[in-house]
Amino acid sequence: MTTDSDAKPSGIKTSLLGTLELALLMPQGTDRFSNDRDTALRSFIVPALLFPASLIAVYMSPGAMADTSTNTIALLYSLRLFASWVLFFGFVYWILREVGRMDHFYRFVTANNWLTVPATAIFIPVAFMVMAGSHTMAELYPFMLCLMGYTYFFTAFMAAHVLRVPLEFAGFLAFIAFAIDRGTTDFVQWVGGIL
């Protein structure tokens, strides 16, 4: 059930400010997101719009899918994105229902989807360095791991403050997000290697 304060509209400017605050580990960023179903569903537009940026990173990375057509890669990674959403939000929904913390689920979904903005933005310099030829992807891999760790950390921070749960519990949710992301990526690369 949402209250009037929970149902306030989350405009683009307000949501972007909330994502910046959460990426800087400022707890007030969670208050910038509505806790209603319609806003949560609309928030899936954000990662969908940023999806081409992740495809560019896939195309730049040499790997098991080097001989796979770009259309096949786009299709497989689109399916991977959808599967990740279903698995992660399904798991979060189930565990929150089990522990009696469903009152902020929609705010969590909205904030999590908007956090793809800073998560994508911090990888832009890496993409530019690789495209400019100043560094290879292999040289930047340790730096990318640090950036990836930071994105999972601010995701856990967001979960702790949105769901009002201990940081350990929120860290577990971030670990589940990582495991689902890794598992679906490995599966897609395996399938792409076969095709």
Side-chain angles (χ1 to χ4, degrees), residues 38-92:
D38 292 338
T39 304
L41 290 174
R42 279 193 310 272
S43 72
F44 282 97
I45 294 170
V46 176
L49 288 175
L50 294 173
F51 178 67
S54 61
L55 275 182
I56 291 169
V58 171
Y59 293 143
M60 289 180 357
S61 312
M65 299 182 73
D67 297 330
T68 309
S69 76
T70 55
N71 289 338
T72 303
I73 291 173
L75 174 65
L76 289 174
Y77 274 86
S78 298
L79 293 173
R80 186 201 77 78
L81 179 64
F82 181 74
S84 295
W85 285 342
V86 170
L87 290 171
F88 179 64
F89 290 120
F91 177 80
V92 170

Side-chain angles (χ1 to χ4, degrees), residues 12-145:
I12 293 173
K13 182 179 175 182
T14 303
S15 297
L16 285 173
L17 181 58
T19 61
L20 177 62
E21 289 170 340
L22 288 172
L24 295 174
L25 308 179
M26 298 168 68
Q28 66 266 27
T30 60
D31 298 332
R32 308 240 185 237
F33 301 100
S34 296
N35 191 29
D36 65 282
R37 183 176 172 266
D38 292 338
T39 304
L41 290 174
R42 279 193 310 272
S43 72
F44 282 97
I45 294 170
V46 176
L49 288 175
L50 294 173
F51 178 67
S54 61
L55 275 182
I56 291 169
V58 171
Y59 293 143
M60 289 180 357
S61 312
M65 299 182 73
D67 297 330
T68 309
S69 76
T70 55
N71 289 338
T72 303
I73 291 173
L75 174 65
L76 289 174
Y77 274 86
S78 298
L79 293 173
R80 186 201 77 78
L81 179 64
F82 181 74
S84 295
W85 285 342
V86 170
L87 290 171
F88 179 64
F89 290 120
F91 177 80
V92 170
Y93 179 86
W94 172 75
I95 199 163
L96 291 179
R97 193 185 62 198
E98 291 297 314
V99 298
R101 287 292 194 177
M102 285 298 298
D103 47 343
H104 298 289
F105 175 71
Y106 292 127
R107 179 173 285 143
F108 172 80
V109 171
T110 304
N112 191 74
N113 284 336
W114 273 96
L115 280 180
T116 58
V117 173
T120 302
I122 64 173
F123 285 100
I124 290 174
V126 173
F128 279 130
M129 286 188 274
V130 172
M131 290 188 324
S134 62
H135 294 83
T136 65
M137 192 66 87
E139 292 172 337
L140 294 174
Y141 188 71
F143 179 61
M144 285 181 51
L145 286 179

Side-chain angles (χ1 to χ4, degrees), residues 132-178:
S134 62
H135 294 83
T136 65
M137 192 66 87
E139 292 172 337
L140 294 174
Y141 188 71
F143 179 61
M144 285 181 51
L145 286 179
C146 292
L147 292 178
M148 188 171 56
Y150 172 61
T151 63
Y152 284 109
F153 183 75
F154 68 63
T155 300
F157 177 83
M158 174 276 296
H161 289 280
V162 166
L163 300 173
R164 294 165 173 78
V165 295
L167 191 56
E168 296 85 4
F169 182 81
F172 173 69
L173 294 178
F175 173 76
I176 293 301
F178 169 75

